[in-house]
Short mmCIF file of all heavy atoms in Angstrom, two decimals:
data_model
loop_
_atom_site.label_atom_id
_atom_site.label_comp_id
_atom_site.label_asym_id
_atom_site.label_seq_id
_atom_site.Cartn_x
_atom_site.Cartn_y
_atom_site.Cartn_z
N MET A 1 283.14 104.02 112.25
CA MET A 1 284.44 104.53 112.71
C MET A 1 284.77 103.91 114.06
O MET A 1 283.92 103.85 114.94
CB MET A 1 284.37 106.06 112.82
CG MET A 1 285.71 106.76 112.73
SD MET A 1 286.64 106.48 111.20
CE MET A 1 285.64 107.37 110.01
N SER A 2 285.99 103.47 114.21
CA SER A 2 286.44 102.89 115.48
C SER A 2 287.52 103.78 116.08
O SER A 2 288.12 104.60 115.38
CB SER A 2 287.02 101.49 115.27
OG SER A 2 286.04 100.62 114.78
N GLU A 3 287.76 103.59 117.36
CA GLU A 3 288.80 104.35 118.03
C GLU A 3 289.68 103.40 118.83
O GLU A 3 289.18 102.47 119.46
CB GLU A 3 288.17 105.39 118.96
CG GLU A 3 289.22 106.28 119.64
CD GLU A 3 288.57 107.38 120.47
OE1 GLU A 3 288.08 108.35 119.88
OE2 GLU A 3 288.54 107.25 121.70
N VAL A 4 290.98 103.64 118.79
CA VAL A 4 291.90 102.81 119.56
C VAL A 4 293.00 103.72 120.11
O VAL A 4 293.35 104.72 119.48
CB VAL A 4 292.50 101.68 118.70
CG1 VAL A 4 293.41 102.24 117.60
CG2 VAL A 4 293.27 100.68 119.55
N THR A 5 293.50 103.37 121.28
CA THR A 5 294.67 104.07 121.81
C THR A 5 295.84 103.11 121.78
O THR A 5 295.76 102.01 122.33
CB THR A 5 294.41 104.56 123.26
OG1 THR A 5 293.32 105.48 123.24
CG2 THR A 5 295.64 105.26 123.81
N ILE A 6 296.90 103.53 121.10
CA ILE A 6 298.10 102.68 121.02
C ILE A 6 299.24 103.36 121.78
O ILE A 6 299.26 104.58 121.92
CB ILE A 6 298.52 102.43 119.55
CG1 ILE A 6 298.84 103.74 118.84
CG2 ILE A 6 297.43 101.67 118.81
CD1 ILE A 6 299.40 103.54 117.43
N LYS A 7 300.16 102.55 122.28
CA LYS A 7 301.35 103.10 122.92
C LYS A 7 302.32 103.57 121.86
O LYS A 7 302.50 102.90 120.83
CB LYS A 7 302.02 102.02 123.78
CG LYS A 7 301.19 101.55 124.94
CD LYS A 7 301.92 100.40 125.65
CE LYS A 7 300.97 99.65 126.58
NZ LYS A 7 301.50 98.32 126.93
N VAL A 8 302.95 104.71 122.12
CA VAL A 8 303.99 105.21 121.22
C VAL A 8 305.18 105.61 122.08
O VAL A 8 305.12 106.60 122.82
CB VAL A 8 303.51 106.42 120.39
CG1 VAL A 8 304.64 106.89 119.47
CG2 VAL A 8 302.28 106.06 119.57
N GLN A 9 306.25 104.85 121.99
CA GLN A 9 307.43 105.13 122.79
C GLN A 9 308.53 105.71 121.91
O GLN A 9 308.60 105.42 120.72
CB GLN A 9 307.92 103.84 123.46
CG GLN A 9 306.89 103.28 124.43
CD GLN A 9 307.29 101.94 125.01
OE1 GLN A 9 308.21 101.29 124.52
NE2 GLN A 9 306.60 101.51 126.05
N GLY A 10 309.38 106.54 122.53
CA GLY A 10 310.52 107.09 121.83
C GLY A 10 310.32 108.54 121.39
O GLY A 10 311.22 109.12 120.79
N MET A 11 309.17 109.13 121.73
CA MET A 11 308.96 110.54 121.41
C MET A 11 309.61 111.39 122.51
O MET A 11 309.47 111.10 123.69
CB MET A 11 307.46 110.87 121.35
CG MET A 11 306.72 110.15 120.24
SD MET A 11 305.00 110.74 120.10
CE MET A 11 304.29 110.19 121.65
N SER A 12 310.30 112.46 122.09
CA SER A 12 310.98 113.29 123.07
C SER A 12 310.60 114.77 123.00
O SER A 12 310.99 115.54 123.87
CB SER A 12 312.50 113.14 122.93
OG SER A 12 312.87 113.48 121.61
N CYS A 13 309.89 115.18 121.97
CA CYS A 13 309.56 116.60 121.85
C CYS A 13 308.34 116.79 120.95
O CYS A 13 307.81 115.83 120.38
CB CYS A 13 310.75 117.38 121.28
SG CYS A 13 311.08 117.01 119.56
N GLY A 14 307.94 118.05 120.80
CA GLY A 14 306.79 118.34 119.97
C GLY A 14 307.00 117.96 118.51
O GLY A 14 306.04 117.66 117.79
N GLY A 15 308.25 117.97 118.06
CA GLY A 15 308.52 117.56 116.69
C GLY A 15 308.18 116.10 116.47
O GLY A 15 307.62 115.72 115.43
N CYS A 16 308.51 115.28 117.47
CA CYS A 16 308.17 113.86 117.39
C CYS A 16 306.65 113.68 117.35
O CYS A 16 306.13 112.86 116.59
CB CYS A 16 308.72 113.11 118.60
SG CYS A 16 310.51 113.14 118.75
N VAL A 17 305.97 114.45 118.19
CA VAL A 17 304.50 114.37 118.22
C VAL A 17 303.95 114.70 116.84
O VAL A 17 303.05 114.02 116.33
CB VAL A 17 303.93 115.32 119.29
CG1 VAL A 17 302.42 115.41 119.18
CG2 VAL A 17 304.34 114.85 120.68
N GLY A 18 304.51 115.76 116.21
CA GLY A 18 304.06 116.13 114.88
C GLY A 18 304.33 115.04 113.86
O GLY A 18 303.50 114.76 112.98
N ASN A 19 305.50 114.42 113.98
CA ASN A 19 305.84 113.32 113.08
C ASN A 19 304.84 112.18 113.18
O ASN A 19 304.36 111.67 112.16
CB ASN A 19 307.22 112.74 113.47
CG ASN A 19 308.34 113.34 112.66
OD1 ASN A 19 308.11 113.92 111.61
ND2 ASN A 19 309.54 113.20 113.15
N VAL A 20 304.57 111.76 114.39
CA VAL A 20 303.67 110.63 114.60
C VAL A 20 302.25 111.00 114.14
O VAL A 20 301.57 110.21 113.49
CB VAL A 20 303.67 110.19 116.08
CG1 VAL A 20 302.60 109.12 116.33
CG2 VAL A 20 305.05 109.65 116.46
N THR A 21 301.86 112.24 114.45
CA THR A 21 300.52 112.68 114.04
C THR A 21 300.39 112.65 112.52
O THR A 21 299.41 112.12 111.98
CB THR A 21 300.25 114.10 114.56
OG1 THR A 21 300.38 114.12 115.99
CG2 THR A 21 298.85 114.57 114.19
N ARG A 22 301.39 113.20 111.83
CA ARG A 22 301.33 113.21 110.37
C ARG A 22 301.38 111.80 109.80
O ARG A 22 300.69 111.48 108.83
CB ARG A 22 302.48 114.05 109.79
CG ARG A 22 302.21 115.55 109.82
CD ARG A 22 303.25 116.30 108.99
NE ARG A 22 304.62 116.10 109.50
CZ ARG A 22 305.13 116.77 110.52
NH1 ARG A 22 304.42 117.67 111.13
NH2 ARG A 22 306.36 116.54 110.92
N THR A 23 302.23 110.96 110.40
CA THR A 23 302.33 109.58 109.93
C THR A 23 300.98 108.88 110.00
O THR A 23 300.55 108.23 109.04
CB THR A 23 303.35 108.81 110.80
OG1 THR A 23 304.65 109.37 110.59
CG2 THR A 23 303.36 107.33 110.45
N LEU A 24 300.31 109.05 111.13
CA LEU A 24 299.03 108.35 111.31
C LEU A 24 297.94 108.93 110.42
O LEU A 24 297.19 108.19 109.78
CB LEU A 24 298.62 108.41 112.79
CG LEU A 24 299.47 107.55 113.72
CD1 LEU A 24 299.17 107.88 115.17
CD2 LEU A 24 299.26 106.06 113.47
N THR A 25 297.85 110.27 110.37
CA THR A 25 296.75 110.86 109.62
C THR A 25 296.94 110.72 108.11
O THR A 25 295.99 110.89 107.35
CB THR A 25 296.55 112.36 109.97
OG1 THR A 25 297.79 113.04 109.80
CG2 THR A 25 296.08 112.52 111.40
N SER A 26 298.17 110.39 107.68
CA SER A 26 298.38 110.20 106.24
C SER A 26 297.92 108.82 105.76
O SER A 26 297.85 108.56 104.56
CB SER A 26 299.86 110.38 105.89
OG SER A 26 300.62 109.29 106.38
N LEU A 27 297.60 107.93 106.71
CA LEU A 27 297.19 106.57 106.34
C LEU A 27 295.75 106.56 105.86
O LEU A 27 294.88 107.22 106.44
CB LEU A 27 297.32 105.64 107.55
CG LEU A 27 298.73 105.50 108.13
CD1 LEU A 27 298.67 104.75 109.46
CD2 LEU A 27 299.64 104.78 107.16
N ALA A 28 295.50 105.80 104.81
CA ALA A 28 294.13 105.67 104.31
C ALA A 28 293.27 105.02 105.40
O ALA A 28 293.64 104.00 105.97
CB ALA A 28 294.12 104.82 103.06
N GLY A 29 292.15 105.63 105.68
CA GLY A 29 291.24 105.09 106.67
C GLY A 29 291.34 105.76 108.02
O GLY A 29 290.49 105.53 108.88
N VAL A 30 292.37 106.58 108.23
CA VAL A 30 292.51 107.29 109.50
C VAL A 30 291.91 108.68 109.35
O VAL A 30 292.28 109.43 108.45
CB VAL A 30 293.99 107.40 109.93
CG1 VAL A 30 294.13 108.32 111.15
CG2 VAL A 30 294.55 106.02 110.24
N SER A 31 290.99 109.02 110.24
CA SER A 31 290.35 110.33 110.16
C SER A 31 290.92 111.30 111.18
O SER A 31 290.87 112.50 110.98
CB SER A 31 288.84 110.21 110.34
OG SER A 31 288.55 109.60 111.57
N LYS A 32 291.47 110.77 112.28
CA LYS A 32 291.95 111.67 113.33
C LYS A 32 292.96 110.94 114.19
O LYS A 32 292.80 109.75 114.48
CB LYS A 32 290.76 112.12 114.19
CG LYS A 32 291.11 113.19 115.21
CD LYS A 32 289.83 113.61 115.95
CE LYS A 32 290.15 114.61 117.06
NZ LYS A 32 288.97 114.84 117.91
N ALA A 33 294.01 111.66 114.61
CA ALA A 33 294.99 111.09 115.54
C ALA A 33 295.37 112.14 116.56
O ALA A 33 295.77 113.24 116.20
CB ALA A 33 296.22 110.62 114.77
N GLU A 34 295.19 111.79 117.82
CA GLU A 34 295.61 112.68 118.90
C GLU A 34 296.77 112.03 119.62
O GLU A 34 296.61 111.00 120.27
CB GLU A 34 294.46 112.92 119.88
CG GLU A 34 293.51 114.02 119.41
CD GLU A 34 292.47 114.36 120.45
OE1 GLU A 34 292.77 114.29 121.65
OE2 GLU A 34 291.35 114.68 120.05
N VAL A 35 297.94 112.65 119.50
CA VAL A 35 299.16 112.05 120.04
C VAL A 35 299.57 112.80 121.30
O VAL A 35 299.58 114.04 121.32
CB VAL A 35 300.29 112.11 118.99
CG1 VAL A 35 301.56 111.48 119.54
CG2 VAL A 35 299.85 111.42 117.70
N SER A 36 299.88 112.05 122.35
CA SER A 36 300.28 112.65 123.63
C SER A 36 301.70 112.27 123.97
O SER A 36 302.04 111.08 124.10
CB SER A 36 299.34 112.17 124.75
OG SER A 36 299.89 112.53 126.01
N LEU A 37 302.54 113.30 124.12
CA LEU A 37 303.92 113.07 124.55
C LEU A 37 303.96 112.56 125.99
O LEU A 37 304.68 111.61 126.31
CB LEU A 37 304.69 114.39 124.40
CG LEU A 37 306.17 114.42 124.79
CD1 LEU A 37 306.97 113.45 123.92
CD2 LEU A 37 306.71 115.84 124.65
N GLU A 38 303.16 113.20 126.85
CA GLU A 38 303.18 112.85 128.28
C GLU A 38 302.72 111.41 128.50
O GLU A 38 303.29 110.68 129.32
CB GLU A 38 302.26 113.79 129.07
CG GLU A 38 302.73 115.24 129.12
CD GLU A 38 302.45 115.99 127.82
OE1 GLU A 38 301.61 115.53 127.02
OE2 GLU A 38 303.09 117.04 127.60
N GLN A 39 301.68 111.01 127.78
CA GLN A 39 301.12 109.67 128.00
C GLN A 39 301.79 108.62 127.13
O GLN A 39 301.50 107.43 127.25
CB GLN A 39 299.62 109.68 127.68
CG GLN A 39 298.92 110.91 128.20
CD GLN A 39 297.82 110.59 129.19
OE1 GLN A 39 297.46 109.42 129.35
NE2 GLN A 39 297.31 111.58 129.86
N ALA A 40 302.67 109.06 126.22
CA ALA A 40 303.32 108.15 125.28
C ALA A 40 302.26 107.29 124.57
O ALA A 40 302.33 106.05 124.58
CB ALA A 40 304.35 107.27 125.98
N SER A 41 301.28 107.97 123.98
CA SER A 41 300.20 107.24 123.34
C SER A 41 299.63 108.03 122.17
O SER A 41 299.90 109.23 122.02
CB SER A 41 299.09 106.95 124.35
OG SER A 41 298.42 108.14 124.69
N ALA A 42 298.86 107.34 121.37
CA ALA A 42 298.13 107.99 120.29
C ALA A 42 296.72 107.41 120.26
O ALA A 42 296.55 106.19 120.26
CB ALA A 42 298.81 107.75 118.95
N THR A 43 295.75 108.28 120.27
CA THR A 43 294.36 107.86 120.15
C THR A 43 293.93 108.15 118.71
O THR A 43 294.02 109.29 118.25
CB THR A 43 293.47 108.59 121.16
OG1 THR A 43 293.94 108.28 122.47
CG2 THR A 43 292.02 108.15 121.02
N VAL A 44 293.51 107.09 118.03
CA VAL A 44 293.28 107.18 116.60
C VAL A 44 291.85 106.78 116.27
O VAL A 44 291.35 105.76 116.76
CB VAL A 44 294.25 106.23 115.85
CG1 VAL A 44 294.07 106.36 114.34
CG2 VAL A 44 295.69 106.51 116.25
N GLN A 45 291.21 107.60 115.45
CA GLN A 45 289.91 107.24 114.91
C GLN A 45 290.13 106.73 113.49
O GLN A 45 290.79 107.38 112.68
CB GLN A 45 288.97 108.45 114.90
CG GLN A 45 288.52 108.82 116.31
CD GLN A 45 287.62 110.03 116.35
OE1 GLN A 45 287.12 110.46 115.32
NE2 GLN A 45 287.43 110.57 117.53
N TYR A 46 289.59 105.55 113.22
CA TYR A 46 289.87 104.91 111.94
C TYR A 46 288.67 104.11 111.45
O TYR A 46 287.79 103.73 112.23
CB TYR A 46 291.10 104.01 112.07
CG TYR A 46 290.89 102.82 112.98
CD1 TYR A 46 290.60 101.57 112.45
CD2 TYR A 46 290.96 102.95 114.36
CE1 TYR A 46 290.39 100.47 113.27
CE2 TYR A 46 290.75 101.87 115.20
CZ TYR A 46 290.47 100.63 114.65
OH TYR A 46 290.25 99.56 115.47
N ASP A 47 288.70 103.85 110.15
CA ASP A 47 287.67 103.03 109.52
C ASP A 47 288.17 101.58 109.53
O ASP A 47 289.13 101.25 108.84
CB ASP A 47 287.45 103.51 108.08
CG ASP A 47 286.43 102.65 107.34
OD1 ASP A 47 286.00 101.61 107.88
OD2 ASP A 47 286.10 103.03 106.20
N PRO A 48 287.53 100.71 110.30
CA PRO A 48 288.03 99.33 110.42
C PRO A 48 287.96 98.53 109.11
O PRO A 48 288.57 97.47 109.01
CB PRO A 48 287.13 98.72 111.50
CG PRO A 48 285.92 99.58 111.53
CD PRO A 48 286.35 100.95 111.12
N GLU A 49 287.25 99.05 108.13
CA GLU A 49 287.24 98.35 106.84
C GLU A 49 288.45 98.70 106.00
O GLU A 49 288.73 98.05 104.99
CB GLU A 49 285.95 98.70 106.08
CG GLU A 49 284.73 98.15 106.78
CD GLU A 49 283.47 98.27 105.94
OE1 GLU A 49 283.54 98.84 104.84
OE2 GLU A 49 282.43 97.77 106.40
N GLN A 50 289.19 99.74 106.40
CA GLN A 50 290.36 100.15 105.63
C GLN A 50 291.68 99.88 106.33
O GLN A 50 292.71 99.73 105.68
CB GLN A 50 290.28 101.66 105.33
CG GLN A 50 289.19 102.03 104.36
CD GLN A 50 289.33 103.48 103.91
OE1 GLN A 50 290.27 103.84 103.24
NE2 GLN A 50 288.39 104.31 104.31
N ILE A 51 291.67 99.86 107.66
CA ILE A 51 292.94 99.73 108.38
C ILE A 51 292.65 99.16 109.76
O ILE A 51 291.51 99.21 110.23
CB ILE A 51 293.64 101.12 108.46
CG1 ILE A 51 295.13 100.95 108.82
CG2 ILE A 51 292.91 102.07 109.40
CD1 ILE A 51 295.97 102.16 108.47
N ASP A 52 293.67 98.58 110.38
CA ASP A 52 293.48 98.01 111.71
C ASP A 52 294.61 98.46 112.63
O ASP A 52 295.61 99.02 112.17
CB ASP A 52 293.37 96.48 111.64
CG ASP A 52 294.61 95.83 111.06
OD1 ASP A 52 295.68 96.49 111.02
OD2 ASP A 52 294.52 94.67 110.65
N PRO A 53 294.45 98.23 113.94
CA PRO A 53 295.45 98.71 114.89
C PRO A 53 296.86 98.17 114.61
O PRO A 53 297.85 98.87 114.86
CB PRO A 53 294.92 98.23 116.25
CG PRO A 53 293.43 98.22 116.05
CD PRO A 53 293.24 97.74 114.62
N ALA A 54 296.98 96.95 114.11
CA ALA A 54 298.30 96.41 113.81
C ALA A 54 299.00 97.25 112.75
O ALA A 54 300.20 97.50 112.82
CB ALA A 54 298.18 94.96 113.35
N ALA A 55 298.25 97.69 111.75
CA ALA A 55 298.83 98.53 110.69
C ALA A 55 299.17 99.92 111.22
O ALA A 55 300.16 100.53 110.78
CB ALA A 55 297.85 98.64 109.51
N LEU A 56 298.38 100.41 112.16
CA LEU A 56 298.70 101.70 112.79
C LEU A 56 300.03 101.59 113.52
O LEU A 56 300.91 102.45 113.39
CB LEU A 56 297.60 102.11 113.78
CG LEU A 56 296.19 102.31 113.20
CD1 LEU A 56 295.21 102.57 114.34
CD2 LEU A 56 296.16 103.45 112.20
N ARG A 57 300.18 100.51 114.30
CA ARG A 57 301.43 100.33 115.05
C ARG A 57 302.61 100.17 114.10
O ARG A 57 303.70 100.69 114.34
CB ARG A 57 301.32 99.13 115.99
CG ARG A 57 300.39 99.36 117.19
CD ARG A 57 300.68 98.38 118.32
NE ARG A 57 300.72 97.02 117.83
CZ ARG A 57 299.64 96.25 117.68
NH1 ARG A 57 298.45 96.69 118.01
NH2 ARG A 57 299.77 95.03 117.22
N GLN A 58 302.39 99.44 113.01
CA GLN A 58 303.47 99.23 112.05
C GLN A 58 303.92 100.56 111.45
O GLN A 58 305.13 100.81 111.28
CB GLN A 58 303.02 98.28 110.95
CG GLN A 58 304.12 97.91 109.96
CD GLN A 58 305.29 97.19 110.65
OE1 GLN A 58 305.09 96.17 111.31
NE2 GLN A 58 306.50 97.72 110.53
N ALA A 59 302.98 101.43 111.14
CA ALA A 59 303.33 102.73 110.56
C ALA A 59 304.14 103.57 111.54
O ALA A 59 305.09 104.26 111.15
CB ALA A 59 302.06 103.47 110.15
N VAL A 60 303.78 103.49 112.82
CA VAL A 60 304.54 104.22 113.84
C VAL A 60 305.96 103.67 113.93
O VAL A 60 306.93 104.43 114.02
CB VAL A 60 303.82 104.13 115.21
CG1 VAL A 60 304.71 104.66 116.33
CG2 VAL A 60 302.51 104.92 115.17
N GLU A 61 306.07 102.35 113.88
CA GLU A 61 307.41 101.73 113.91
C GLU A 61 308.22 102.14 112.68
O GLU A 61 309.41 102.45 112.78
CB GLU A 61 307.28 100.19 113.94
CG GLU A 61 306.54 99.65 115.16
CD GLU A 61 307.50 99.20 116.27
OE1 GLU A 61 308.71 99.21 116.03
OE2 GLU A 61 306.99 98.85 117.36
N ASP A 62 307.58 102.16 111.53
CA ASP A 62 308.28 102.53 110.29
C ASP A 62 308.77 103.98 110.35
O ASP A 62 309.73 104.34 109.67
CB ASP A 62 307.36 102.34 109.08
CG ASP A 62 307.11 100.87 108.78
OD1 ASP A 62 307.83 100.01 109.33
OD2 ASP A 62 306.18 100.58 108.00
N ALA A 63 308.08 104.81 111.13
CA ALA A 63 308.47 106.22 111.26
C ALA A 63 309.61 106.40 112.27
O ALA A 63 310.08 107.51 112.48
CB ALA A 63 307.26 107.05 111.68
N GLY A 64 310.03 105.31 112.90
CA GLY A 64 311.20 105.38 113.78
C GLY A 64 310.88 105.39 115.26
O GLY A 64 311.77 105.63 116.08
N PHE A 65 309.63 105.11 115.61
CA PHE A 65 309.25 105.06 117.02
C PHE A 65 308.89 103.63 117.37
O PHE A 65 308.89 102.75 116.50
CB PHE A 65 308.09 106.02 117.27
CG PHE A 65 308.44 107.44 116.93
CD1 PHE A 65 308.17 107.93 115.65
CD2 PHE A 65 309.06 108.27 117.84
CE1 PHE A 65 308.51 109.23 115.30
CE2 PHE A 65 309.41 109.57 117.50
CZ PHE A 65 309.13 110.05 116.23
N ARG A 66 308.57 103.39 118.63
CA ARG A 66 308.17 102.06 119.02
C ARG A 66 306.71 102.06 119.45
O ARG A 66 306.27 102.96 120.15
CB ARG A 66 309.06 101.53 120.15
CG ARG A 66 310.42 101.05 119.61
CD ARG A 66 311.34 100.58 120.69
NE ARG A 66 311.62 101.64 121.64
CZ ARG A 66 311.34 101.59 122.94
NH1 ARG A 66 310.80 100.51 123.45
NH2 ARG A 66 311.61 102.60 123.71
N ALA A 67 306.00 101.05 119.00
CA ALA A 67 304.58 100.95 119.30
C ALA A 67 304.27 99.54 119.80
O ALA A 67 303.70 98.73 119.08
CB ALA A 67 303.75 101.27 118.06
N PRO A 68 304.66 99.25 121.04
CA PRO A 68 304.43 97.90 121.58
C PRO A 68 302.94 97.65 121.78
O PRO A 68 302.16 98.59 121.93
CB PRO A 68 305.16 97.93 122.93
CG PRO A 68 305.17 99.37 123.32
CD PRO A 68 305.27 100.15 122.03
N GLN A 69 302.60 96.39 121.80
CA GLN A 69 301.18 96.03 121.95
C GLN A 69 300.71 96.29 123.36
O GLN A 69 301.47 96.18 124.29
CB GLN A 69 300.99 94.54 121.64
CG GLN A 69 299.55 94.21 121.35
CD GLN A 69 299.43 93.25 120.16
OE1 GLN A 69 300.39 92.59 119.80
NE2 GLN A 69 298.27 93.20 119.55
CU1 CU B 1 311.32 115.03 118.95
#
């Protein structure tokens, strides 16, 4: 299991945090996602054989937020 913290911009409330959390945890290979509104970030535990940070960022972007590198 690996862990990465990605930037997540565009969140404005707890609903956004819930959206991003659900988006990330629904991905195959993701076991845990801790999303912080204050830090504009998400710390994700994932299986590197199933998914990588680029795919995590892409999923966040697809959900309507921005996840710059
Ligand atoms: Cu919101």
